[in-house]
Short mmCIF file of all heavy atoms in Angstrom, two decimals:
data_model
loop_
_atom_site.label_atom_id
_atom_site.label_comp_id
_atom_site.label_asym_id
_atom_site.label_seq_id
_atom_site.Cartn_x
_atom_site.Cartn_y
_atom_site.Cartn_z
N GLU A 45 -61.53 16.68 -6.18
CA GLU A 45 -60.82 16.28 -7.29
C GLU A 45 -60.09 14.98 -7.16
O GLU A 45 -60.12 14.17 -7.93
CB GLU A 45 -59.77 17.48 -7.67
CG GLU A 45 -59.07 17.04 -8.97
CD GLU A 45 -58.13 18.10 -9.34
OE1 GLU A 45 -58.61 19.33 -9.46
OE2 GLU A 45 -56.92 17.76 -9.69
N CYS A 46 -59.54 14.85 -5.98
CA CYS A 46 -58.82 13.52 -5.70
C CYS A 46 -59.79 12.32 -5.79
O CYS A 46 -59.50 11.38 -6.42
CB CYS A 46 -58.21 13.57 -4.29
SG CYS A 46 -57.29 12.03 -3.82
N MET A 47 -60.96 12.46 -5.17
CA MET A 47 -61.94 11.42 -5.22
C MET A 47 -62.41 11.08 -6.63
O MET A 47 -62.59 9.96 -7.04
CB MET A 47 -63.17 11.77 -4.31
CG MET A 47 -62.84 11.66 -2.87
SD MET A 47 -62.57 10.02 -2.23
CE MET A 47 -64.18 9.37 -2.17
N SER A 48 -62.48 12.18 -7.42
CA SER A 48 -62.96 11.96 -8.82
C SER A 48 -61.88 11.23 -9.65
O SER A 48 -62.20 10.27 -10.33
CB SER A 48 -63.27 13.37 -9.46
OG SER A 48 -63.61 13.24 -10.80
N VAL A 49 -60.64 11.66 -9.51
CA VAL A 49 -59.54 11.04 -10.20
C VAL A 49 -59.35 9.65 -9.80
O VAL A 49 -59.21 8.56 -10.44
CB VAL A 49 -58.30 11.89 -10.17
CG1 VAL A 49 -57.07 11.04 -10.67
CG2 VAL A 49 -58.43 13.09 -10.83
N CYS A 50 -59.45 9.45 -8.43
CA CYS A 50 -59.15 8.08 -7.80
C CYS A 50 -60.22 7.07 -8.23
O CYS A 50 -59.94 5.95 -8.56
CB CYS A 50 -59.11 8.19 -6.34
SG CYS A 50 -58.68 6.69 -5.51
N SER A 51 -61.48 7.46 -8.21
CA SER A 51 -62.52 6.55 -8.56
C SER A 51 -62.53 6.22 -10.06
O SER A 51 -62.98 5.14 -10.45
CB SER A 51 -63.89 7.19 -8.23
OG SER A 51 -64.17 8.32 -8.97
N ALA A 52 -61.93 7.10 -10.83
CA ALA A 52 -61.79 6.74 -12.31
C ALA A 52 -60.64 5.60 -12.53
O ALA A 52 -60.70 4.92 -13.47
CB ALA A 52 -61.38 8.02 -13.08
N MET A 53 -59.69 5.66 -11.56
CA MET A 53 -58.55 4.75 -11.58
C MET A 53 -58.92 3.40 -11.14
O MET A 53 -58.26 2.35 -11.43
CB MET A 53 -57.29 5.24 -10.90
CG MET A 53 -56.83 6.50 -11.64
SD MET A 53 -55.44 7.38 -10.75
CE MET A 53 -54.27 6.06 -10.48
N TYR A 54 -59.81 3.26 -10.06
CA TYR A 54 -60.07 2.00 -9.42
C TYR A 54 -61.54 1.64 -9.61
O TYR A 54 -62.49 2.57 -9.52
CB TYR A 54 -59.78 2.08 -7.95
CG TYR A 54 -58.51 2.37 -7.63
CD1 TYR A 54 -57.91 3.60 -7.22
CD2 TYR A 54 -57.40 1.34 -7.59
CE1 TYR A 54 -56.61 3.91 -6.95
CE2 TYR A 54 -56.17 1.56 -7.28
CZ TYR A 54 -55.78 2.82 -6.89
OH TYR A 54 -54.47 3.09 -6.70
N PRO A 55 -61.83 0.42 -9.88
CA PRO A 55 -63.21 -0.03 -10.16
C PRO A 55 -64.00 -0.20 -8.85
O PRO A 55 -63.59 -0.63 -7.85
CB PRO A 55 -63.06 -1.35 -10.91
CG PRO A 55 -61.86 -1.95 -10.39
CD PRO A 55 -60.94 -0.73 -10.08
N GLY A 56 -65.37 0.16 -8.84
CA GLY A 56 -66.38 -0.04 -7.83
C GLY A 56 -65.95 -0.07 -6.46
O GLY A 56 -65.49 0.86 -5.94
N VAL A 57 -66.11 -1.25 -5.88
CA VAL A 57 -65.86 -1.44 -4.46
C VAL A 57 -64.42 -1.15 -4.02
O VAL A 57 -64.18 -0.48 -2.92
CB VAL A 57 -66.22 -2.85 -4.00
CG1 VAL A 57 -65.95 -3.05 -2.53
CG2 VAL A 57 -67.66 -3.15 -4.31
N VAL A 58 -63.45 -1.30 -4.93
CA VAL A 58 -62.12 -0.97 -4.67
C VAL A 58 -61.94 0.47 -4.43
O VAL A 58 -61.26 0.92 -3.48
CB VAL A 58 -61.15 -1.44 -5.78
CG1 VAL A 58 -59.77 -1.08 -5.55
CG2 VAL A 58 -61.33 -2.93 -5.86
N ALA A 59 -62.66 1.22 -5.22
CA ALA A 59 -62.62 2.71 -5.10
C ALA A 59 -63.05 3.12 -3.78
O ALA A 59 -62.54 4.03 -3.12
CB ALA A 59 -63.35 3.47 -6.28
N GLY A 60 -64.14 2.48 -3.34
CA GLY A 60 -64.78 2.91 -2.05
C GLY A 60 -63.87 2.60 -0.93
O GLY A 60 -63.90 3.33 0.13
N ALA A 61 -63.06 1.63 -1.07
CA ALA A 61 -62.16 1.17 0.04
C ALA A 61 -60.92 2.01 -0.01
O ALA A 61 -60.32 2.36 1.03
CB ALA A 61 -61.90 -0.28 -0.10
N ILE A 62 -60.33 2.26 -1.12
CA ILE A 62 -58.99 2.94 -1.28
C ILE A 62 -59.12 4.37 -1.30
O ILE A 62 -58.26 5.03 -0.66
CB ILE A 62 -58.28 2.39 -2.60
CG1 ILE A 62 -57.99 0.93 -2.38
CG2 ILE A 62 -57.08 3.21 -2.87
CD1 ILE A 62 -57.39 0.28 -3.62
N CYS A 63 -59.96 4.97 -2.10
CA CYS A 63 -59.96 6.46 -2.36
C CYS A 63 -60.06 7.24 -1.15
O CYS A 63 -59.40 8.27 -1.03
CB CYS A 63 -60.98 6.77 -3.49
SG CYS A 63 -60.69 6.02 -5.02
N PRO A 64 -61.05 7.03 -0.24
CA PRO A 64 -61.16 7.97 0.89
C PRO A 64 -59.87 8.07 1.71
O PRO A 64 -59.48 9.24 2.06
CB PRO A 64 -62.35 7.42 1.71
CG PRO A 64 -63.16 6.67 0.65
CD PRO A 64 -62.19 6.13 -0.28
N VAL A 65 -59.27 6.96 2.01
CA VAL A 65 -57.96 6.97 2.77
C VAL A 65 -56.84 7.65 1.98
O VAL A 65 -56.20 8.55 2.52
CB VAL A 65 -57.68 5.54 3.24
CG1 VAL A 65 -56.30 5.61 3.93
CG2 VAL A 65 -58.74 4.99 4.07
N LYS A 66 -56.69 7.32 0.64
CA LYS A 66 -55.70 7.83 -0.10
C LYS A 66 -55.81 9.37 -0.27
O LYS A 66 -54.88 10.08 -0.08
CB LYS A 66 -55.81 7.16 -1.47
CG LYS A 66 -54.75 7.65 -2.50
CD LYS A 66 -54.85 6.81 -3.73
CE LYS A 66 -53.75 7.16 -4.71
NZ LYS A 66 -53.69 6.36 -5.91
N CYS A 67 -57.07 9.79 -0.41
CA CYS A 67 -57.33 11.26 -0.59
C CYS A 67 -57.18 12.04 0.71
O CYS A 67 -56.82 13.15 0.71
CB CYS A 67 -58.75 11.50 -1.22
SG CYS A 67 -58.77 10.86 -3.00
N ALA A 68 -57.55 11.41 1.86
CA ALA A 68 -57.32 12.05 3.14
C ALA A 68 -55.89 12.34 3.38
O ALA A 68 -55.50 13.44 3.61
CB ALA A 68 -57.88 11.20 4.27
N LYS A 69 -55.04 11.34 3.00
CA LYS A 69 -53.56 11.50 3.24
C LYS A 69 -53.02 12.56 2.25
O LYS A 69 -52.33 13.53 2.66
CB LYS A 69 -52.84 10.20 3.02
CG LYS A 69 -51.33 10.37 3.19
CD LYS A 69 -50.57 9.21 3.09
CE LYS A 69 -49.11 9.35 3.33
NZ LYS A 69 -48.48 10.60 3.00
N ARG A 70 -53.48 12.46 0.96
CA ARG A 70 -53.06 13.46 -0.03
C ARG A 70 -53.39 14.80 0.29
O ARG A 70 -52.56 15.75 0.30
CB ARG A 70 -53.52 13.07 -1.33
CG ARG A 70 -53.12 14.11 -2.39
CD ARG A 70 -53.39 13.65 -3.77
NE ARG A 70 -53.23 14.93 -4.53
CZ ARG A 70 -54.19 15.42 -5.24
NH1 ARG A 70 -55.43 14.87 -5.25
NH2 ARG A 70 -53.96 16.55 -5.89
#
Side-chain angles (χ1 to χ4, degrees):
E45 185 174 310
C46 181
M47 289 293 284
S48 176
V49 170
C50 185
S51 65
M53 293 174 57
Y54 297 100
V57 177
V58 175
I62 292 174
C63 294
V65 175
K66 184 175 183 172
C67 292
K69 181 178 182 333
R70 178 169 163 244

